[in-house]
C-alpha cells in the first residue's frame, strides 16, 4: 500500500512540475517579446553609460584622480567640466574634454564632475565642486596655479578658449593656427581604440 501511495504522489509532483515549467516558459517568452531595443544615442537625452568611454574613447577621465580640495592644496592648474551622462550636450562635448586631457593631462588636474554626484547642500566651500556649478551642462571652469578661476563658461566651450587659458597659465607661446575639432564617425573611434 505504501508503494501505491508513493507512485500516486510521484505522478502528482511530476504533473505539478510540468505545469510550473510551462508557466515559467510562457512568462519568459512574454518578457522577451515585450522588451524594447536600446535607443540611446548622441543626439538624445537617454542614458547609455559612461559618456567618455562611449563618445570620447577615453574612460580614464572618470573618476578624477584627486578631489578639488587636494588639487587646490597642491597648487595645480585645474580643469573642471560639469556634465551629465544622459545629456546630449554633454555627450557631444565629451570629445573636447578628452582633448584637453590629451594636451594638459600630465601637468594639470582634469576633473570631469557628474552633476548627479554633487551632494545637495545649502552652501558649499570653495574647495567643493558644487561651489562653482551654475546649473547648466556642460560647464567648464579653469583654475590657475593660485586657485583663481580664469575661465567659467557654460555650453560648448571651444577647445581653443580653454587652450588659450592654459597657455597663459604655463607661459606658452600662442597658437599660430587653430585645429578645427571635428567629431569622428563611430567606426573611427573603434579603429583608433584597437591600435
Amino acid at each position: 500500500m505504501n508503494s501505491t501511495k508513493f507512485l500516486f504522489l510521484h505522478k502528482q509532483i511530476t504533473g505539478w512540475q510540468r505545469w510550473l515549467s510551462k508557466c515559467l516558459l510562457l512568462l519568459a517568452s512574454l518578457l522577451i517579446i515585450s522588451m524594447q531595443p536600446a535607443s540611446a544615442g548622441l543626439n538624445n537625452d537617454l542614458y547609455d553609460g559612461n559618456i567618455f568611454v562611449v563618445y570620447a574613447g577615453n574612460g580614464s577621465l572618470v573618476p578624477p584622480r584627486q578631489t578639488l580640495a587636494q588639487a587646490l592644496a597642491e597648487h595645480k592648474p585645474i580643469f573642471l567640466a560639469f556634465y551629465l551622462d544622459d545629456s546630449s550636450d554633454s555627450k557631444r562635448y565629451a570629445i573636447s574634454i578628452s582633448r584637453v586631457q590629451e594636451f594638459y593631462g600630465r601637468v594639470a588636474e582634469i576633473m570631469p564632475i557628474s552633476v548627479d554626484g554633487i551632494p545637495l547642500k545649502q552652501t558649499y566651500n570653495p574647495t567643493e565642486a558644487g561651489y562653482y556649478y551654475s546649473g547648466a551642462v556642460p560647464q567648464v571652469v579653469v583654475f590657475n596655479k593660485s586657485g583663481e578661476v580664469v575661465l567659467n563658461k557654460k555650453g560648448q566651450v571651444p577647445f581653443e578658449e580653454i587652450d588659450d587659458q592654459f597657455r597663459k597659465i604655463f607661459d606658452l607661446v600662442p597658437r599660430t593656427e587653430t585645429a578645427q575639432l571635428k567629431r569622428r564617425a563611430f567606426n573611427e573611434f573603434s579603429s583608433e581604440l584597437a591600435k
Side-chain angles (χ1 to χ4, degrees):
M1 181 143 178
N2 285 340
S3 63
T4 46
K5 283 184 181 179
F6 179 72
L7 287 174
F8 176 72
L9 194 62
H10 179 67
K11 286 184 180 182
Q12 271 186 331
I13 293 173
T14 305
W16 177 78
Q17 288 176 338
R18 190 173 297 136
W19 179 81
L20 181 63
S21 65
K22 287 179 181 179
C23 287
L24 289 175
L25 182 62
L26 178 64
L27 181 65
S29 299
L30 289 174
L31 287 173
I32 290 171
I33 291 171
S34 67
M35 276 194 237
Q36 297 292 323
S39 60
L42 182 65
N43 296 318
N44 61 33
D45 290 335
L46 299 175
Y47 177 75
D48 344 290
N50 182 334
I51 63 173
F52 298 105
V53 172
V54 177
Y55 298 109
N58 186 354
S60 69
L61 283 165
V62 287
R65 294 178 294 191
Q66 294 184 321
T67 65
L68 180 58
Q70 291 169 329
L72 287 169
E74 292 180 9
H75 301 288
K76 284 184 167 181
I78 302 165
F79 173 76
L80 277 182
F82 294 99
Y83 73 96
L84 281 170
D85 280 320
D86 56 355
S87 161
S88 60
D89 292 333
S90 295
K91 291 175 185 180
R92 285 191 292 275
Y93 196 64
I95 190 74
S96 297
I97 296 170
S98 183
R99 181 108 189 254
V100 171
Q101 187 207 27
E102 178 184 340
F103 285 99
Y104 296 105
R106 294 180 190 250
V107 292
E109 194 61 36
I110 311 300
M111 301 178 69
I113 305 291
S114 174
V115 172
D116 290 336
I118 298 174
L120 295 175
K121 297 163 78 173
Q122 290 295 327
T123 59
Y124 296 94
N125 295 326
T127 59
E128 297 175 304
Y131 184 82
Y132 302 97
Y133 179 58
S134 63
V137 290
Q139 178 188 346
V140 170
V141 183
V142 177
F143 297 82
N144 63 16
K145 294 177 185 178
S146 304
E148 299 166 344
V149 175
V150 293
L151 177 68
N152 186 350
K153 289 186 101 175
K154 297 181 220 174
Q156 306 279 338
V157 181
F159 171 78
E160 289 79 14
E161 269 188 70
I162 299 162
D163 184 47
D164 288 343
Q165 294 304 319
F166 276 121
R167 286 178 179 275
K168 290 175 189 173
I169 291 169
F170 293 114
D171 198 27
L172 300 172
V173 295
R175 273 186 323 281
T176 55
E177 59 184 66
T178 60
Q180 181 70 21
L181 285 180
K182 292 182 182 176
R183 177 159 298 283
R184 293 175 277 179
F186 185 74
N187 290 340
E188 291 176 14
F189 281 119
S190 300
S191 64
E192 185 174 296
L193 293 174
K195 291 180 184 177

